[in-house]
Each structure stands twice: as C-alpha cells, then as structure tokens.
Amino acid sequence: MQVSPGPSLVLRDDPSQGTRVRLASGVVVGGPAFVVMAGPCAVESAAQIAAAAKVVSAAGCPVLRGGAFKPRTSPYSFQGLGAQGVRLLLDAAGEQGLGVVTEVLEPADLPAFDGVALLQVGARNMQNFPLLKALGRLRRPVLLKRGLAATVDEWLLAAEYLLAGGNDQVILCERGVRGFEPSTRNMLDLSAVVIAKQRTHLPVVVDPSHASGRRDLVIPLSLAAAAAGADGLLVEVHPRPSEALSDGEQALLPEDLATLMARLPAVLSAVGRELWRRVEDRRLAGR
C-alpha cells in the first residue's frame, strides 16, 4: 500500500505486535480471545431487541449488535428507528450486561451514540471521508466494514483516515464483496482476512451474515473465518427471523447461535485461540 504524503500508520511494523481494541464493556478485540458480536440486523421494537439481547447473553456473546440508523438500497425499505433505536439497544444491552455495536451514518448523528461501545462504519460509508475524519477525532472504538467493491488497499486507506486523525482503536470487518455468483448475497473474501492480518496491526473480524445472505451458510463460514485467523465475528440473530423487518433470511435462530458458540472452541483450539465468553473469559483481557 502506498500512502502519500506521510507515513503509513495502518501497516504492521512488528509481526509479533498487534493492536488490541478495548471496548467500554471490558471486551478486548485483537487479543488471544475470539469475540462474537451478535444481534438482529435492525432494532425494531423494545420487545424485539430485549428478546434478542437475552438470546445473545444466553449464548455467551459479550456484544449486542443492532441497526438503529439503517442505510437501505430502496428508499421504501425500513430505515430504522434512529436515536430511539439506539436508546432501546442500550437499554436492552444494559439489562444483560452486554456492550453495543451499531452503525453511524453521519457526524451529525454522533451525539445520539453516547454509551455505544463500538461505532460501526458500514460498507456503503467506507469512503465517507467526513465521517471517517470525525470518528478519527472522536477517538472511540470503530468497526470499519470493507466496501462492496473495495480492494484491500482501499479498505486499509480508509482505516488510515481514522488513525491519521488520532484514533488507533480500529477494527476491520470483512463482510463480503460483490461477485458474479448468484447463490450468495456477496462473496466472502477470506483471503482478504489473511492479507489484512499480515499487512496491518489492526484486528480483523468477519460478518458472514451479510457475506452470504443465507442462514444455512453462516455457521460454516463462521468456522472458516475462525480457522483463517480472524479475531471475531459479527453475526445476525433474531428471536423470530420470519417476522424481521430487514434481512430475516440471513439471521440465525436462537438455537443456531448456541450451536455456533458450541462448535467454535474446537476450531479455535486448532489455531491457538480461545473463545471469549461473556463472563468466564474476561481474564484473557489481561494477557
């Protein structure tokens, strides 16, 4: 990657050193533990997100995901509950002792995100440079998703905006790129995970839900991501996917999330990692 002018802050100088992103909830992404963040695509109601938080907590996941501000391809699709959705998300997570990750669309919305542990920049906003600059100045943990057709260089340069602004608490997220195969929503690029881990010191997580668009593929792709060296997952789970207002077809059922969490340890053990569970594995943060 060529960065001009100035040094490249995102590239790895010491292969043995990697950035650890510490969330306000006490979770560490990028350390020895593999972190699973889970929840519905969108916050739909107080009852729905409260039920989802219970599912996520019961499975042992430490972070609840949910969209409050929703960038949708169609202007007629559900656009989210906005600031109210953020409050519902925080309330539901607080009841279960979970951290929160949710997407921010523009700098003007940032005051609504007080208390959010991890601010997500979605694929459509990967090159929203005013937003990246604002989040760089804010210096709070940021999850940066790869764009729909972005190269690894473009992805890392987007992260460079955050680091150049003074924010080194950045997590990269591979969520699939646009391909030619119609069997899946996108094409999960696990080679990009390996390349990003080789070239940058930042932690890398994978979103298999948006990559596949299919519930039946989420667990296999999650296990593959763990084997490839990812630092965690961002997966969708909904208490009743058939009633979801967005992306219900790719959301895991509650029992599917439990299955995923039960199957991950064997894969992680094979690559020298451990699964972060909400209570038991917090001791790993100090390693």
Side-chain angles (χ1 to χ4, degrees):
M1 183 180 72
Q2 299 296 316
V3 180
S4 180
S8 173
L9 302 174
V10 76
L11 296 185
R12 181 186 293 273
D13 293 324
D14 183 349
S16 67
Q17 297 297 317
T19 291
R20 297 187 180 190
V21 176
R22 299 179 181 273
L23 309 185
S25 54
V27 181
V28 178
V29 182
F34 185 90
V35 177
V36 180
M37 299 172 274
C41 177
V43 179
E44 301 164 358
S45 67
Q48 172 256 7
I49 196 60
K54 290 179 181 178
V55 169
V56 171
S57 177
C61 304
V63 179
L64 176 66
R65 69 168 290 171
F69 293 83
K70 298 293 299 175
R72 304 303 300 276
T73 301
S74 169
Y76 307 113
S77 299
F78 177 60
Q79 302 290 309
L81 299 178
Q84 178 191 6
V86 176
R87 291 192 297 272
L88 293 176
L89 186 62
L90 288 169
D91 288 346
E95 287 290 326
Q96 301 298 324
L98 304 173
V100 164
V101 55
T102 191
E103 183 171 358
V104 58
L105 299 185
E106 55 181 320
D109 294 332
L110 283 170
F113 289 78
D114 287 345
V116 171
L118 182 58
L119 300 169
Q120 176 183 311
V121 176
R124 293 171 177 83
N125 272 322
M126 189 201 79
Q127 290 182 313
N128 181 338
F129 301 119
L131 177 60
L132 296 178
K133 290 177 181 179
L135 291 173
R137 293 189 298 269
L138 196 61
R139 302 185 184 184
R140 288 170 57 189
V142 174
L143 179 80
L144 178 65
K145 285 197 166 187
R146 185 182 179 189
L148 300 173
T151 65
V152 172
D153 277 357
E154 290 166 340
W155 187 24
L156 297 186
L157 283 167
E160 188 78 15
Y161 269 87
L162 295 164
L163 272 69
N167 189 350
D168 65 351
Q169 293 292 283
V170 178
I171 302 168
L172 300 173
C173 181
E174 160 62 30
R175 45 81 69 206
V177 292
R178 180 161 290 171
F180 56 82
E181 173 53 55
S183 299
T184 55
R185 178 175 179 175
N186 293 290
M187 180 177 65
L188 180 60
D189 187 2
L190 288 180
S191 64
V193 175
V194 178
I195 291 168
K197 291 287 291 182
Q198 290 175 342
R199 294 177 60 186
T200 178
H201 54 88
L202 301 175
V204 183
V205 303
V206 169
D207 179 347
S209 303
H210 281 92
S212 65
R214 291 173 45 177
R215 180 180 305 117
D216 62 320
L217 297 183
V218 170
I219 291 179
L221 293 179
S222 296
L223 298 175
D231 295 295
L233 298 170
L234 187 71
V235 298
E236 290 189 2
V237 61
H238 194 289
R240 292 175 295 279
S242 62
E243 301 175 13
L245 297 181
S246 62
D247 291 346
E249 64 279 0
Q250 68 192 34
L252 294 177
L253 295 162
E255 56 266 32
D256 296 329
L257 181 61
T259 297
L260 172 60
M261 295 295 281
R263 294 184 62 184
L264 276 169
V267 176
L268 292 169
S269 177
V271 294
R273 302 290 289 272
E274 296 183 68
L275 179 64
W276 182 300
R277 291 192 179 274
R278 191 168 61 89
V279 176
E280 296 92 331
D281 287 350
R282 287 194 175 180
R283 58 185 174 80
L284 293 171
R287 287 189 183 178

